[in-house]
Amino acid sequence: TSIGNYAFSGCNSLTQITIPSSVVLIGNHAFDHCWSLIQITIPSSIKSIGKCAFSGCISLTQITIPSSVRSISDSAFSYCHSLTEISIPSSVTSIGNNAFSSCSSLLQVRIPSSVTSIGNNAFSSCSSLLQVRIPSSVTSIGNSAFAKCDSLTEIAIPSTVTSIGKYAFSGCDSLTQITIPSSVTSIGDN
């Protein structure tokens, strides 16, 4: 029913894993630094994915998060350098700190309208990210949320956002246009 903390952490030769539908919890660091892991199927029984669960899985190219998951934990998919696409279901209400940071091959992300907060460094250093749509459900953009997203050219901030964190778009060298709505009352340093 659960995969414990650090259960397969650092299993460098593991290439594929099938999680049965009996599992409801993936623990913290459960598969972190499984460098050779290229494919994983997360069943719809999963309710919780722990912190750093797949962090450092540098060969993982695609992942589908089931609609049973309510939040994406801190650093859950950070440093997944080969990840090109991510599908976030409409059940998710929050994207944790560093959730997808340093996913340098990530081209596009669809944030569903259920998400209300984007955590600190959530997509920082996603250097290939071309496009992101922030839904009107989001009220806050965390510190460094999109920092060092070198390929990001345009961003539209919805009129529901009241605060933009420090360094939120710092180092976005290709950003040519940004629209800040009148709902925003604070913009952080840098």
Side-chain angles (χ1 to χ4, degrees):
T1 57
S2 67
I3 297 172
N5 297 340
Y6 297 92
F8 299 96
S9 176
C11 290
N12 298 336
S13 299
L14 188 67
T15 58
Q16 187 176 344
I17 189 147
T18 302
I19 300 171
S21 58
S22 56
V23 175
V24 295
L25 169 71
I26 297 173
N28 299 335
H29 301 270
F31 298 97
D32 78 345
H33 290 88
C34 289
W35 296 335
S36 302
L37 188 65
I38 55 173
Q39 186 179 353
I40 189 158
T41 302
I42 301 176
S44 58
S45 57
I46 296 291
K47 293 182 175 25
S48 179
I49 298 172
K51 292 179 181 178
C52 302
F54 298 97
S55 179
C57 292
I58 59 174
S59 299
L60 194 64
T61 57
Q62 189 176 353
I63 195 144
T64 301
I65 300 166
S67 59
S68 52
V69 174
R70 299 286 174 259
S71 65
I72 298 173
S73 297
D74 295 351
S75 302
F77 301 98
S78 62
Y79 297 97
C80 290
H81 296 308
S82 300
L83 193 65
T84 57
E85 187 180 341
I86 189 82
S87 180
I88 302 172
S90 58
S91 57
V92 171
T93 58
S94 64
I95 297 172
N97 299 335
N98 301 290
F100 299 99
S101 68
S102 298
C103 290
S104 54
S105 298
L106 192 63
L107 296 170
Q108 188 175 352
V109 66
R110 293 177 197 89
I111 301 172
S113 57
S114 54
V115 172
T116 58
S117 64
I118 299 172
N120 299 335
N121 298 290
F123 297 97
S124 67
S125 298
C126 290
S127 54
S128 298
L129 191 63
L130 296 169
Q131 184 182 18
V132 65
R133 288 198 178 104
I134 300 173
S136 58
S137 54
V138 172
T139 57
S140 65
I141 298 171
N143 298 338
S144 302
F146 297 96
K148 298 180 184 175
C149 289
D150 306 72
S151 301
L152 195 62
T153 56
E154 188 177 336
I155 191 114
I157 299 170
S159 59
T160 50
V161 171
T162 57
S163 66
I164 298 170
K166 297 175 183 177
Y167 298 92
F169 300 98
S170 174
C172 291
D173 298 339
S174 301
L175 194 63
T176 57
Q177 184 177 345
I178 191 158
T179 304
I180 301 170
S182 58
S183 58
V184 173
T185 57
S186 68
I187 298 174
D189 295 342
N190 299 286

